[in-house]
Amino acid sequence: MLISLIGPPGSGKASVAHYLATRHGFEVLCTDNGTCDSLTALGLTATSCGDEKAMLDFVTDRWHERFVTLDLTTVSDMEAFIKRPFFLCVEVGSPLLTRWKRYQTKHKSLPLEKFVALDDEIAFGMSTAQASTRQPLVRSGSSAMGGNGIVDNLASVSISSPSAGLAALRRYVHVSIINDFPDRDSLNSHLSSLNLPSEERLRPCWDSYFLKLCNLASLRSNCMKRRVGAVLVSSNRIISTGYNGTPSGLLNCNQGGCARCNNTLEKGASGCGQNLDECLCLHAEENALLEAGRQKISTGQEGKGATMYCNTCPCLRCAVKIIQSGIRTVVYQLEYSMDARTKAIFAQAGVDIRQFHLDT
């Protein structure tokens, strides 16, 4: 494992490195132009690897051991290391005034304004002078601005991601630590609770893995009430995934497809779990179950799709499942209380429905 610590001046990166080295046996690595001297001043023995490429080779050959470094400070560094399965990037942050006061203990009489300038340079990869001469993204009077200062055409405005400094490195961060603790003992206690050396941070267990996939699936939800995702698994192999929202062929819930979910408090919105018989949204779990068998159901015999027979006209709750399963025809015997609404959504989704009277 290699933990890379990044953060602004005075945030406590060296204190975190000290904790990992003294409490968990991490070996501190640095580059020839890096933090070797400052770490030695803290009583830590640091191993110099030359440059970042040499450090990568060094750790790769010893991936089963524990290392920590403060010397990966560029995007190119991160791009090289982030691909490796033993790498963990930890950001250490702290309030500005707290960091300035800490910095004062090492660099006496540094005015706050100069510290802020230094902080900006490290954060954004440019000096205050460079920042003051940098062209803004959109200037007043430019073609992208309307007369009231509002952007008329967003497509004409180019907003790029940071390319230098700490701001550019945050996309690689796995763990963020806010170090506003008054002393090192308090910080160490917090670090112990995080269990940074855990191998699960590098390779999540199955429960963590599948729950994260659930969260990812939920981003596809269109339900106005709540985003939910589900993953159906057998022997740690994914069978299907699902998220909640209206069935295929109907308007999305967030486009007005489900009247129940779109009701506001002023219109007498349904509470959690209330009036579910009027909800057209499939639950994430239902979608996952339905998708697991959708291929067989939707193709059916000779690719014509399946037919469902039921002795009573389906309710809305069942109707949406029928639509999502790919069933093309429904045949029923007895009427039900919401037949008109069921037939309306079947018509919208292209499902044929007919009543058949059995001989008595």
Side-chain angles (χ1 to χ4, degrees):
M1 170 183 270
L2 171 65
I3 294 180
S4 172
L5 300 174
I6 66 170
S11 60
K13 300 183 296 296
S15 295
V16 176
H18 186 275
Y19 165 84
L20 292 171
T22 57
R23 300 286 185 91
H24 295 282
F26 277 69
E27 181 179 352
V28 183
L29 303 181
C30 60
T31 60
D32 288 345
N33 298 321
T35 57
C36 283
D37 292 340
S38 60
L39 291 172
T40 301
L42 291 175
L44 293 174
T45 301
T47 301
S48 178
C49 295
D51 58 15
E52 291 78 12
K53 184 180 183 305
M55 182 186 294
L56 180 59
D57 293 338
F58 180 86
V59 177
T60 301
D61 289 339
R62 301 163 179 80
W63 61 269
H64 55 284
E65 300 177 25
R66 291 177 169 182
F67 303 99
V68 60
T69 185
L70 282 67
D71 287 355
L72 302 182
T73 58
T74 68
V75 169
S76 60
D77 293 342
M78 288 295 173
E79 287 290 343
F81 280 82
I82 199 72
K83 302 171 185 176
R84 302 303 173 96
F86 52 73
F87 181 72
L88 186 73
C89 182
V90 176
E91 179 185 25
V92 185
S94 188
L96 180 63
L97 284 177
T98 300
R99 292 191 286 109
W100 175 58
K101 292 175 182 178
R102 290 173 184 162
Y103 203 78
Q104 290 285 75
T105 62
K106 299 178 182 178
H107 307 273
K108 301 294 184 182
S109 303
L110 181 69
L112 178 59
E113 184 176 353
K114 288 188 176 181
F115 180 79
V116 171
L118 171 65
D119 196 61
D120 283 346
E121 184 173 354
I122 293 173
F124 302 104
M126 66 178 70
S127 66
T128 304
Q130 289 173 315
S132 64
T133 59
R134 188 179 186 184
Q135 183 173 333
L137 292 174
V138 180
R139 294 173 296 170
S140 178
S142 68
S143 59
M145 300 293 289
N148 57 359
I150 298 176
V151 176
D152 289 330
N153 182 8
L154 288 176
S156 67
V157 181
S158 176
I159 301 178
S160 60
S161 300
S163 58
L166 282 174
L169 302 183
R170 289 198 171 100
R171 75 190 78 166
Y172 305 102
V173 171
H174 299 102
V175 182
S176 293
I177 299 171
I178 302 300
N179 177 21
D180 56 356
F181 300 98
D183 51 59
R184 183 174 289 181
D185 288 341
S186 300
L187 172 62
N188 289 348
S189 177
H190 177 64
L191 293 173
S192 295
S193 70
L194 296 179
N195 194 17
L196 290 176
S198 172
E199 292 296 324
E200 189 174 324
R201 292 195 177 277
L202 299 178
R203 190 172 189 236
C205 68
W206 288 116
D207 285 350
S208 178
Y209 174 66
F210 291 127
L211 285 174
K212 288 178 180 179
L213 291 179
C214 286
N215 290 333
L216 181 61
S218 73
L219 298 180
R220 287 286 303 167
S221 169
N222 61 67
C223 181
M224 291 293 289
K225 290 293 188 181
R226 183 195 302 264
R227 280 181 165 176
V228 181
V231 177
L232 189 60
V233 175
S234 177
S235 300
N236 291 331
R237 297 295 181 267
I238 297 172
I239 298 174
S240 63
T241 64
Y243 53 86
N244 57 329
T246 48
S248 302
L250 301 187
L251 276 178
N252 286 334
C253 182
N254 58 7
Q255 296 173 322
C258 177
R260 174 190 176 273
C261 291
N262 280 273
N263 276 349
T264 61
L265 291 175
E266 290 78 7
K267 297 179 181 178
S270 301
C272 182
Q274 296 178 350
N275 300 325
L276 291 179
D277 58 329
E278 299 179 2
C279 182
L280 300 186
C281 287
L282 280 160
H283 292 180
E285 301 90 334
E286 293 172 324
N287 252 327
L289 290 168
L290 293 169
E291 288 298 325
R294 179 180 174 85
Q295 186 63 30
K296 293 180 181 179
I297 295 173
S298 60
T299 55
Q301 187 176 9
E302 299 177 354
K304 295 180 180 179
T307 298
M308 173 173 281
Y309 289 85
C310 42
N311 68 341
T312 304
C313 185
C315 67
L316 290 178
R317 186 79 264 170
C318 293
V320 292
K321 295 176 185 177
I322 290 168
I323 294 170
Q324 191 67 7
S325 296
I327 292 172
R328 308 312 306 162
T329 305
V330 174
V331 181
Y332 72 96
Q333 178 189 359
L334 304 174
E335 296 178 350
Y336 190 51
S337 62
M338 54 185 71
D339 292 7
R341 284 185 287 174
T342 294
K343 292 176 181 178
I345 66 168
F346 275 161
Q348 187 179 349
V351 176
D352 294 327
I353 181 170
R354 54 188 172 86
Q355 187 176 16
F356 184 84
H357 296 284
L358 291 174
D359 293 333
T360 57

